[in-house]
Amino acid sequence: MKKPNIALIGFMGTGKSIIGARLAEILKKKFIEMDDLIVQLAGKSIPNIFAEDGEIRFREYEIQMCKEVSKRKDVVIACGGGVVLNKINIDYLKQSSIVICLKTSPEVILQRISKDGKERRPLLNKPDPMAEIRKLLAFREAFYNAATEYQIDSSNLTVNEVVERIREIFKRESI
Ligand code: S3P
């Protein structure tokens, strides 16, 4: 079946939002940031969900939103980095999306999240964020690899080059 959507997964700071927004513009699709949908649903920020309700509650919101976006058409979705932790999320996403995983080095991740302000990302708001990045990446690597055959390492690519690769995959898959 032809899939109308693209879902970008991958660790925090791998460029899902910037690449997703650019891709949506080019493909004339709507761009969705899954974390924004969760903030709307919960009526509070991501750090507040983690602090007041806990990570498990956040993961429940995530499952709910993956189910919800699986019913949409012609969207590019930037998923939160932990979406791979519950396999049901990937199953929902794959119902209507080509799932693509972005990868990059821990050094680039640290640079990007430092620029964004680490308060935004409760899991990395720790005294030694680099150690957290390495620990989480090691734990999650198998989940990212299992989620999709489409893995793009963006460490040495520009945003436009990554967008081009995704467009090729999407074109091939939607024939
Ligand atoms: C998370 C990634 C974040 C956000 C939350 C948890 C994760 O999204 O969903 O802080 O577990 O990797 P981004 O990947 O967009 O930063």
Side-chain angles (χ1 to χ4, degrees):
M1 193 204 61
K2 212 167 135 174
K3 295 183 179 171
N5 304 333
I6 296 175
L8 299 180
I9 64 168
F11 200 77
M12 295 168 264
T14 49
K16 291 165 292 182
S17 302
I18 185 162
I19 288 162
R22 180 92 189 95
L23 198 58
E25 194 182 306
I26 292 175
L27 296 175
K28 302 203 171 17
K29 293 181 184 287
K30 186 174 155 51
F31 177 62
I32 297 178
E33 187 81 61
M34 194 173 292
D35 277 354
D36 290 349
L37 298 182
I38 294 174
V39 168
Q40 278 172 27
L41 180 68
K44 54 178 108 171
S45 68
I46 305 280
N48 283 350
I49 301 173
F50 272 75
E52 293 165 19
D53 310 326
E55 180 173 349
I56 304 274
R57 183 71 189 103
F58 175 79
R59 299 297 169 204
E60 288 170 353
Y61 283 128
E62 211 165 38
I63 294 172
Q64 205 177 329
M65 283 340 298
C66 285
K67 185 174 181 183
E68 208 276 314
V69 297
S70 74
K71 297 178 193 136
R72 302 209 192 181
K73 282 209 169 63
D74 292 319
V75 292
V76 175
I77 311 145
C79 303
V83 81
V84 288
L85 296 173
N86 286 298
K87 185 178 173 290
I88 193 163
N89 290 335
I90 303 300
D91 293 342
Y92 280 135
L93 292 171
K94 283 188 172 171
Q95 286 176 9
S96 58
S97 306
I98 308 284
V99 176
I100 294 180
C101 183
L102 301 181
K103 297 202 158 162
T104 195
S105 66
E107 290 75 18
V108 173
I109 291 170
L110 182 65
Q111 256 178 27
R112 292 201 183 136
I113 62 128
S114 310
K115 241 193 264 165
D116 292 353
K118 59 180 183 173
E119 304 72 30
R120 260 193 55 206
R121 295 189 170 98
L123 291 177
L124 301 180
N125 195 5
K126 304 270 163 74
D128 186 351
M130 190 52 152
E132 279 311 307
I133 292 170
R134 289 191 192 282
K135 192 176 83 186
L136 286 173
L137 272 177
F139 176 74
R140 290 182 181 178
E141 194 184 359
F143 293 87
Y144 289 124
N145 290 341
T148 175
E149 63 187 291
Y150 300 118
Q151 309 274 335
I152 300 179
D153 187 335
S154 66
S155 308
N156 297 309
L157 298 175
T158 63
V159 169
N160 284 341
E161 285 168 336
V162 178
V163 165
E164 226 14 74
R165 290 198 186 185
I166 298 173
R167 277 182 67 188
E168 276 164 27
I169 294 169
F170 188 64
K171 222 184 336 182
R172 222 184 314 133
E173 281 291 323
S174 48
I175 290 170

